[in-house]
Amino acid sequence: MDASFGAIIWYLVGYSFAFGDSAGGFIGFDWSYMTNACSDNVQWFLQWTFAVTSATIVSGALAERCFFSAYLLITILIQGWIYPVVAHWVWSGEGWLSSDFLDGYIVIDFAGSGVVHLTGGTAAFIGAYLIGPRRGRFTQDSIWELKGNSSALSALGTFCLWFSWYAFNTVNIGSFDMMYTASRIAVCTTLSACASTAMCLALS
């Protein structure tokens, strides 16, 4: 649902809010994509994946804690307003964090650690705090031992994320003329995943 509803909302308003002509450095207002004047479909698609990612972070925090209809409203709000505004600030080149508004200092976010994950994580934290713990989960009368998860499924999920990050990180170069830099990013991604695996094994 994040991807399906998110794509429609991103097409209708999200992309324009994020990368339209800036209104005071806060938000974009340019509906050229709706009128077929925008030719950068690659940029639209890449940024849509970022918008969806920011919403899926919230889904993990609110799973089984709110009504499905309420979550649909949340994902529409994140991908149609919250994420586009933050993306405009940092990635549009005209937002107040990516221009000379800060006296020559700008925010640089290569692959979305702040724009995507900090935005989604903050929204998830606020949502979980407002909703609270699952009812009956942490009371004196309903305490039970936490059971281990499936090791096979955990490993499969790790591999899916690991190999997805190769595309996620390297494609942010944005040019086939910078393949050497992309290859260095791929090596860094590999070493990061391997070091994390080794550290988890050492600490377990």
Side-chain angles (χ1 to χ4, degrees):
M1 290 298 101
D2 285 325
S4 299
F5 279 82
I8 297 173
I9 296 301
W10 184 247
Y11 177 79
L12 293 176
V13 296
Y15 185 85
S16 297
F17 285 157
F19 297 99
D21 294 333
S22 185
F26 179 77
I27 192 172
F29 281 102
D30 180 8
W31 308 102
S32 60
Y33 201 93
M34 293 291 293
T35 59
N36 295 321
C38 177
S39 60
D40 197 350
N41 295 310
V42 174
Q43 171 76 350
W44 183 95
F45 179 80
L46 176 62
Q47 289 298 326
W48 166 68
T49 64
F50 284 136
V52 171
T53 301
S54 67
T56 57
I57 295 173
V58 180
S59 68
L62 303 185
E64 301 179 1
R65 296 189 183 191
C66 65
F67 289 109
F68 183 67
S69 58
Y71 178 72
L72 290 181
L73 293 178
I74 293 172
T75 192
I76 290 173
L77 178 64
I78 291 174
Q79 298 185 67
W81 175 256
I82 297 176
Y83 171 81
V85 170
V86 178
H88 184 78
W89 292 351
V90 180
W91 280 339
S92 69
E94 299 179 355
W96 69 279
L97 290 177
S98 58
S99 61
D100 291 333
F101 182 85
L102 299 176
D103 194 24
Y105 294 95
I106 63 173
V107 174
I108 298 176
D109 187 345
F110 176 72
S113 60
V115 176
V116 180
H117 296 91
L118 183 58
T119 300
T122 302
F125 175 80
I126 294 174
Y129 176 79
L130 293 177
I131 294 176
R134 295 174 179 85
R135 293 181 181 178
R137 178 65 181 87
F138 299 104
T139 65
Q140 293 297 327
D141 300 328
S142 60
I143 298 178
W144 62 84
E145 183 180 357
L146 293 176
K147 298 181 179 180
N149 297 313
S150 170
S151 299
L153 291 179
S154 297
L156 177 61
T158 301
F159 275 114
C160 289
L161 281 174
W162 184 346
F163 286 98
S164 296
W165 279 111
Y166 286 119
F168 202 83
N169 289 344
T170 57
V171 76
N172 279 279
I173 289 296
S175 173
F176 286 108
D177 297 329
M178 301 179 66
M179 293 304 294
Y180 175 72
T181 303
S183 67
R184 292 187 62 185
I185 293 173
V187 171
C188 183
T189 301
T190 302
L191 294 177
S192 299
C194 293
S196 299
T197 303
M199 183 60 66
C200 289
L201 180 61
L203 296 177
S204 62

